[in-house]
Amino acid sequence: MAETLHGPRTEPEMNIQTQQDKAQSRTRDPLLSEFRLKHLVMRNRIISTSHAATAGGGGYPREQYQAYHEEKAKGGLAMTMIGGSSQVSPDSNWGGNQMDVSHDDVIPYLQQMSERVHRHGAHIMCQISHLGRRADATASQWLPAQGPSRMREMRHRAVSHEIEEADIFRIIRDYAAAARRLKEGGFDGCETLAGGHLIGQFLSPLTNHRSDRWGGSVQNRTRFAIAVHDAIRAEVGDDFVVGMRYVVDEGDGTGLSFEDCVEIAGILQRETTIDFFNCIFGKMDTGLALVEHNMPNMARPMAPFLRQVGQFKAEVKLPVFHAARIPDLETARYAISEGLLDLVGMTRAHIADPYIVRKLERGEADRIRPCIGSSHCLYRLGNCIHNASSNREFKLPHIVPPAPATKKAVVVGGGPAGLEAARVLAERGHDVVLFEAGARLGGQIRLAALAGWRRDLIAIVDWREAELETLGVSVRTNVFAGAEEIAAEAPDVVIMATGGLPDTTVPEGGEELVKSTWDALSEPQSVGRRVLVVDGTGRHQAPSTALALAEAGRDVHLVTVDEFMAAEMEYQSRITYRKKLAQHHARVDIDLEILKVEREGNGLKATLGHMLTGERIEILADDVIVDCGSVPFDELYREMRGAAANGGTTHLDELLALQPQPGTPVPSTGGYAMHQIGDATASRSIHAAIYDAFRLCLAI
């Protein structure tokens, strides 16, 4: 059977139809037009830019990372760029999962990777950089951070050494050697990183206070960048593309302005042989700058810097790329058709769905899995919040394979776990029925999407709902399915994705007096003016509810049992909550657990215990909202598992090996296997629920 995105086709049919679709699409869609970058012919205008999901192994691009980028090449993009902030020198380490191109030992891995990408018709480049003052002085070899001037960096917290000329020339040589390794590794090119890293630190008057030939005037501050690129070109020759990840405006009114950046770009175009500008906006030396400028999350508008980059392109001669929250084809197409960009970076969009281009060519753009900007991929280095295969390509396929035999499957529950289970089972070719007790699909995601800036989460539901319709799944809402309804379907497999109920446990009583985050988000009008929100998990539920209530004018006090707020989420969301709660003057306290809630006059009195000192603290409020996760809603599972052929047990060895579960009946022989997934098993996250469903159903 030919590999297709859905449903069986014969090989000749697929090839003829694909060629026709491609020919028609290329005549009308600017995203599918070719582009020449020096000697490289890009098959379309869509790329994935460098990011730091290196998936490690001593800093070298091993199997997992190679497979991650190869999948994008299979999916049809023009070029993938790897190795965000790849270190060229030993004193350019941030203490994380960073690629290391400072030794020849990396070359065999680069050769493997370039071959894997090239075999699918895509080009490959790598970002090389020296972090400068952004290096972690306590990581790896414990070397001092180097910077143009002595000053502290906020994000990685080092106080930089004012770099001396011997180290300047050492690092210039290191850049050239790193580029040479990439060329020997079969790569098509590389880019340096200016904004925020050592090159950019020399360029910016905020970080370059020198009075020697490397500082002062614009020409002097550009000297290091020129020297680096001259050395690279001398090492790799003209048949290797070399560009810059270049900041077009530091965005704070005190650093490099747009006009400054245009002036410096003019110098670079005249005095170096760089081939492109890959444009970014703002700074990256604080967590807030990373979230709002470099890697904007769903709290930021779509394509927030596209206008500025388009203005920059009008001022320069070299090709211009850009990626910053461009998750959809409409925005990407606008950027290309209006001449704002030459190549458009859909980087996080390719983490959500590496087959964007193939689906566009096939006329299946409406089936592209959407990137919602949650930044989960930055939290878990490449794991998309709702694509379990991302950064697991070496073991999990993106294209669901057909099952050897068709089965009848019943899924109970239409939250993220149930929706994913039904989708994967249907992609496998099974006959699927999904029961949902509520009027609408989505489960807790529908509640989460009510909380202001996280509204885009609903796309996780919308995409799956559309996929189930395309795949012919029978979806039955407003059905509180029991054993009788399930038995009537004569299933071979039953997936219990019934979710959980809010856990509002208060140790010393008073549980009947408190509200859940579900209550507060679904009926905010019922919440009083003074609100205490108690976070017992460190996840999104409590801070998002606190923020929604603060935005609605409530006087909010958020407390958490953890040592800092939002401990179980990506730093991008954590910073967003911190900023927005501060803007609404909500109070946040750490290290506090709820002990007791009782009535006090017309309101409530909550007794909290300090996790470190044991001190008891009393807080008065009109409402107390408690989130301790959820309690599995598993009554139906417990009722039916005894009659299941497998006793309701999911065997971990087979699950992790992606093998069929023991005790699964042969279709049409009677009996059923039962499995429980998502919050019906334990209170976890959206990604955990989807991962549960995907890997289980992949082997059914």
Side-chain angles (χ1 to χ4, degrees):
M1 182 179 293
E3 179 184 74
T4 62
L5 293 176
H6 67 93
R9 289 188 197 170
T10 65
E11 190 75 38
E13 287 174 339
M14 185 192 76
N15 289 338
I16 292 170
Q17 186 62 50
T18 299
Q19 291 166 6
Q20 291 173 344
D21 289 347
K22 285 184 177 181
Q24 293 172 0
S25 295
R26 288 184 186 280
T27 62
R28 62 177 184 269
D29 195 330
L31 288 175
L32 297 178
S33 62
E34 290 184 349
F35 179 76
R36 181 174 290 274
L37 177 63
K38 204 170 184 177
H39 60 281
L40 300 178
V41 178
M42 302 286 170
R43 57 186 174 184
N44 54 64
R45 301 299 187 97
I46 298 174
I47 64 174
S48 173
T49 56
S50 301
H51 51 294
T54 55
Y60 299 146
R62 300 179 190 267
E63 170 66 20
Q64 179 174 337
Y65 193 53
Q66 291 179 26
Y68 167 68
H69 281 279
E70 183 182 14
E71 200 72 24
K72 295 186 242 186
K74 290 179 185 177
L77 88 178
M79 176 172 67
T80 189
M81 305 175 81
I82 76 162
S85 306
S86 296
Q87 67 179 82
V88 300
S89 306
D91 52 359
S92 179
N93 192 293
W94 64 30
N97 204 16
Q98 186 180 3
M99 190 177 294
D100 186 353
V101 290
S102 66
H103 301 282
D104 285 356
D105 291 349
V106 74
I107 293 173
Y109 299 99
L110 297 174
Q111 291 170 338
Q112 294 168 13
M113 189 166 197
S114 62
E115 194 280 326
R116 290 176 71 157
V117 170
H118 285 149
R119 74 169 66 134
H120 303 290
H123 297 294
I124 184 168
M125 295 189 192
C126 179
Q127 182 183 100
I128 58 175
S129 189
H130 194 291
L131 292 166
R133 75 190 190 101
R134 295 198 72 231
D136 187 337
T138 67
S140 187
Q141 304 298 322
W142 285 67
L143 297 170
Q146 302 282 355
S149 303
R150 187 188 67 82
M151 58 192 309
R152 183 176 184 268
E153 198 262 357
M154 294 293 292
R155 176 91 185 135
H156 293 153
R157 308 179 65 82
V159 177
S160 58
H161 169 254
E162 184 172 307
I163 190 170
E164 299 175 13
E165 284 213 340
D167 282 318
I168 289 176
F169 290 120
R170 167 181 62 83
I171 291 170
I172 290 170
R173 292 192 298 270
D174 289 345
Y175 267 104
R180 185 259 304 164
R181 293 180 188 106
L182 291 169
K183 185 173 183 179
E184 291 184 17
F187 275 56
D188 300 296
C190 70
E191 69 173 8
T192 61
L193 175 53
H197 286 210
L198 188 58
I199 293 175
Q201 292 160 26
F202 270 99
L203 295 176
S204 176
L206 287 177
T207 47
N208 186 345
H209 304 155
R210 302 173 75 101
S211 57
D212 61 4
R213 62 176 178 152
W214 304 97
S217 68
V218 171
Q219 186 70 44
N220 279 0
R221 286 186 276 118
T222 310
R223 189 182 304 276
F224 180 69
I226 294 171
V228 166
H229 287 90
D230 284 350
I232 289 174
R233 183 61 71 195
E235 188 74 21
V236 299
D238 291 333
D239 59 344
F240 190 76
V241 176
V242 180
M244 291 184 75
R245 181 83 67 99
Y246 186 77
V247 65
V248 300
D249 188 334
E250 287 199 298
D252 63 355
T254 60
L256 291 169
S257 67
F258 178 80
E259 292 74 20
D260 294 333
C261 294
V262 169
E263 180 184 359
I264 293 169
I267 295 172
L268 294 170
Q269 288 180 134
R270 291 192 305 272
E271 300 190 25
T272 72
T273 56
I274 61 172
D275 299 307
F276 64 84
F277 290 112
N278 186 1
C279 295
I280 57 176
F281 181 94
K283 296 160 65 179
M284 61 174 70
D285 56 352
T286 66
L288 184 63
L290 281 172
V291 171
E292 296 194 341
H293 289 168
N294 278 102
M295 295 171 282
N297 66 4
M298 67 168 68
R300 301 283 287 151
M302 296 288 189
F305 311 118
L306 184 57
R307 178 182 60 83
Q308 292 94 326
V309 174
Q311 290 172 345
F312 177 82
K313 184 180 185 318
E315 300 287 341
V316 299
K317 299 176 181 178
L318 292 176
V320 169
F321 317 161
H322 174 59
R325 193 145 156 73
I326 303 177
D328 61 293
L329 290 175
E330 291 76 12
T331 304
R333 187 175 292 113
Y334 169 79
I336 297 298
S337 64
E338 294 299 311
L340 303 178
L341 304 176
D342 294 297
L343 295 175
V344 58
M346 301 185 70
T347 307
R348 281 178 284 180
H350 273 84
I351 297 175
D353 192 337
Y355 284 78
I356 290 173
V357 173
R358 272 189 58 181
K359 290 179 180 179
L360 175 60
E361 290 174 337
R362 290 180 181 276
E364 296 180 343
D366 58 338
R367 300 197 67 191
I368 293 171
R369 187 192 313 249
C371 171
I372 62 171
S374 73
S375 295
H376 188 278
C377 55
L378 300 171
Y379 171 52
R380 291 300 187 189
L381 292 179
N383 294 147
C384 173
I385 190 172
H386 73 129
N387 184 347
S389 300
S390 287
N391 215 18
R392 298 187 181 102
E393 288 82 0
F394 68 106
K395 61 180 180 180
L396 291 179
H398 282 269
I399 298 176
V400 176
T406 299
K407 298 177 181 178
K408 180 63 178 288
V410 170
V411 179
V412 185
L419 288 170
E420 180 71 349
R423 182 189 75 85
V424 176
L425 289 168
E427 288 272 20
R428 297 274 283 158
H430 299 309
D431 181 7
V432 184
V433 174
L434 185 148
F435 290 114
E436 165 56 37
R440 304 181 72 184
L441 300 173
Q444 292 185 52
I445 290 180
R446 287 210 171 270
L447 285 167
L450 296 175
W453 68 274
R454 301 186 75 218
R455 66 181 65 88
D456 288 351
L457 285 171
I458 200 62
I460 296 173
V461 177
D462 292 343
W463 180 75
R464 283 172 173 77
E465 196 165 4
E467 285 292 288
L468 296 192
E469 182 176 356
T470 298
L471 295 166
V473 173
S474 176
V475 176
R476 303 176 193 176
T477 55
N478 289 314
V479 177
F480 195 87
E484 184 176 343
E485 288 80 6
I486 293 170
E489 300 298 324
D492 302 303
V493 178
V494 178
I495 306 295
M496 289 293 185
T498 47
L501 298 174
D503 183 353
T504 56
T505 300
V506 178
E508 296 184 29
E511 193 169 328
E512 72 283 354
L513 300 176
V514 307
K515 287 183 167 71
S516 70
T517 56
W518 299 20
D519 299 326
L521 289 174
S522 60
E523 298 181 350
Q525 71 280 0
S526 70
V527 179
R529 184 181 63 82
R530 299 172 303 162
V531 186
L532 175 66
V533 180
V534 180
D535 183 3
T537 67
R539 302 174 196 159
H540 284 275
Q541 287 86 335
S544 64
T545 301
L547 179 57
L549 293 172
E551 290 173 338
R554 306 300 198 278
D555 182 3
V556 174
H557 186 177
L558 172 65
V559 300
T560 177
V561 296
D562 295 311
E563 59 185 326
F564 54 88
M565 186 189 71
E568 286 193 27
M569 66 180 74
E570 64 285 346
Y571 73 83
Q572 291 84 356
S573 292
R574 187 183 309 135
I575 291 167
T576 299
Y577 283 125
R578 285 172 54 202
K579 177 179 178 177
K580 290 182 175 292
L581 287 167
Q583 287 174 330
H584 289 87
H585 307 288
R587 179 178 173 182
V588 178
D589 286 316
I590 62 173
D591 293 323
L592 295 174
E593 63 176 334
I594 187 75
L595 298 177
K596 186 177 182 180
V597 177
E598 56 193 320
R599 293 200 179 277
E600 177 87 0
N602 293 327
L604 300 173
K605 180 173 70 175
T607 302
L608 305 172
H610 196 283
M611 299 290 288
L612 302 181
T613 67
E615 177 187 3
R616 290 201 166 205
I617 300 167
E618 294 180 347
I619 297 177
L620 299 178
D622 296 315
D623 275 298
V624 176
I625 298 167
V626 176
D627 180 72
C628 295
S630 60
V631 178
F633 184 58
D634 58 2
E635 290 182 10
L636 182 60
Y637 165 77
R638 294 182 180 279
E639 175 188 340
M640 295 186 63
R641 66 180 178 180
N646 64 339
T649 299
T650 301
H651 295 268
L652 292 186
D653 288 345
E654 285 76 14
L655 177 72
L656 299 179
L658 304 179
Q659 295 297 314
Q661 289 284 317
T664 301
V666 176
S668 305
T669 61
Y672 58 87
M674 176 179 285
H675 301 280
Q676 193 178 42
I677 59 174
D679 280 7
T681 302
S683 176
R684 290 178 293 158
S685 66
I686 293 171
H687 181 77
I690 288 172
Y691 191 14
D692 266 8
F694 186 85
R695 62 184 167 189
L696 172 68
C697 295
L698 200 62
I700 291 177

